[in-house]
Amino acid sequence: MKLFKPREIVMPGEGVAMLADAIRRVEQPSRRAFLQRSLSLGGLSLLTGCSADSQESIETALGAISRLNDRAQAFLFDPARLAPTYPESMITRPFPFNAYYGEDEVRSIDGAAWRLELSGLIGARKPWTLAQLRALPQQSQVTRHICVEGWSAIGKWGGVPFAHFLRLVGADLGAKYVGFKCADDYFTSIDMATALHPQTLMALSYDGQPLPPRYGFPMKLRMPTKLGYKNPKHIQAIFVTNAYPGGYWEDQGYNWFGGS
Ligand SMILES: Nc1nc2c(c(=O)[nH]1)N[C@H]1C(S)=C(S)[C@@H](COP(=O)(O)O)O[C@H]1N2
Ligand SMILES: [Mo]
């Protein structure tokens, strides 16, 4: 039997040093760790065909890897495959808080005045009140939330299956993206296949109680198939589009697909 000898990948020493330096200069420790984990030095030039010989080409190469990664993840995503669920005894207490700001700056939102706004490729774009959303069929799940900053925790969320809601409002289910704008200026977007996944919930409750402010009152999108930063809290507006909407962390280099 003839075995294939893996091709040896050679990168000029200077390129390696520059890449390491580029990663070191990324300010957020979380993003730095993320890049270090998702990147092998030789793989960079092999995957992209770019020689890593300047700051600009390194940035270009990192972007190319991330987009390649998006396509691979979208291709591998099985819309029928369920993320693991856990018994309630395994819920992490207290469940961690995380945001791009500290817990003392959590937004307080008036649930009675709040409206969920809809726009883009959606047939019925009337705003929804919290009471109207609570009157829709609800589901609950105990699943694991995984944050790229290096922690994970098991929690229990309840709410409206997003696929049900998207059908109800006549969203174009053939569109590419669903985008979210949040009350704290956070924003993100997801692929339609994940939006329609049976475990993707418009979460209105946490552990049997109305969603507390720190976990995203009045509503967050909960997806056990995606990393923490893809799960927007304090959602104010939802839009369906074919134009790539990006996201708060995604625009700073986090991988867009963000599967977990
Ligand atoms: N609106 C909003 N949503 C957000 C964030 C944020 O800063 N603002 N942070 C994200 C990140 S990185 C994580 S890990 C989770 C944390 O959710 P938790 O507070 O329920 O643990 O929220 C995600 N959704
Ligand atoms: Mo996160």
Side-chain angles (χ1 to χ4, degrees):
M1 188 171 53
K2 216 174 184 181
L3 282 177
F4 227 127
K5 186 167 178 255
R7 197 149 47 108
E8 207 173 306
I9 301 150
V10 182
M11 249 180 97
E14 203 190 342
V16 173
M18 249 186 238
L19 179 58
D21 187 53
I23 292 172
R24 261 197 307 278
R25 292 202 290 117
V26 169
E27 266 165 39
Q28 299 97 337
S30 55
R31 193 189 158 208
R32 207 158 53 220
F34 184 72
L35 287 175
Q36 274 159 349
R37 265 205 307 278
S38 55
L39 187 69
S40 83
L41 291 175
L44 182 69
S45 48
L46 182 74
L47 280 174
T48 63
C50 298
S51 62
D53 58 1
S54 74
Q55 189 60 39
E56 204 189 320
S57 73
I58 288 166
E59 289 293 329
T60 306
L62 290 176
I65 289 180
S66 199
R67 283 189 301 279
L68 188 77
N69 193 351
D70 283 341
R71 286 202 299 276
Q73 288 186 70
F75 178 77
L76 293 172
F77 182 74
D78 177 351
R81 195 174 140 238
L82 298 182
T85 58
Y86 302 86
E88 295 200 10
S89 59
M90 285 181 71
I91 293 174
T92 308
R93 300 182 193 281
F95 190 86
F97 161 85
N98 197 26
Y100 68 89
Y101 43 81
E103 198 164 345
D104 53 331
E105 284 177 61
V106 168
R107 306 302 187 262
S108 77
I109 290 163
D110 175 359
W114 176 86
R115 297 288 180 275
L116 173 66
E117 293 153 30
L118 303 180
S119 65
L121 306 172
I122 292 177
R125 291 188 291 263
K126 79 167 171 60
W128 286 70
T129 65
L130 192 47
Q132 288 170 329
L133 291 172
R134 284 183 176 146
L136 294 176
Q138 314 278 311
Q139 228 177 56
S140 91
Q141 58 177 233
V142 179
T143 53
R144 185 182 294 276
H145 169 120
I146 302 167
C147 174
V148 287
E149 289 177 49
W151 57 270
S152 83
I154 294 172
K156 180 182 173 185
W157 292 270
V160 183
F162 197 34
H164 174 78
F165 183 79
L166 289 172
R167 289 196 176 92
L168 195 64
V169 297
D172 175 358
L173 305 182
K176 283 190 186 158
Y177 309 105
V178 182
F180 304 88
K181 293 181 197 154
C182 306
D184 57 359
D185 296 333
Y186 197 78
F187 65 106
T188 188
S189 56
I190 60 170
D191 51 296
M192 186 60 78
T194 301
L196 298 175
H197 186 274
Q199 287 171 310
T200 297
L201 291 185
M202 298 164 83
L204 301 167
S205 76
Y206 182 77
D207 203 11
Q209 302 298 320
L211 199 65
R214 66 186 181 286
Y215 301 146
F217 181 84
M219 190 186 88
K220 72 173 275 181
L221 198 76
R222 174 60 198 147
M223 295 168 284
T225 56
K226 285 216 190 290
L227 292 167
Y229 64 89
K230 299 298 297 181
N231 290 241
K233 306 196 285 187
H234 312 292
I235 296 174
Q236 216 153 40
I238 297 179
F239 58 99
V240 174
T241 180
N242 284 310
Y244 177 72
Y248 182 92
W249 289 117
E250 295 88 333
D251 292 358
Q252 299 175 56
Y254 276 33
N255 170 248
W256 178 76
F257 195 87
S260 73

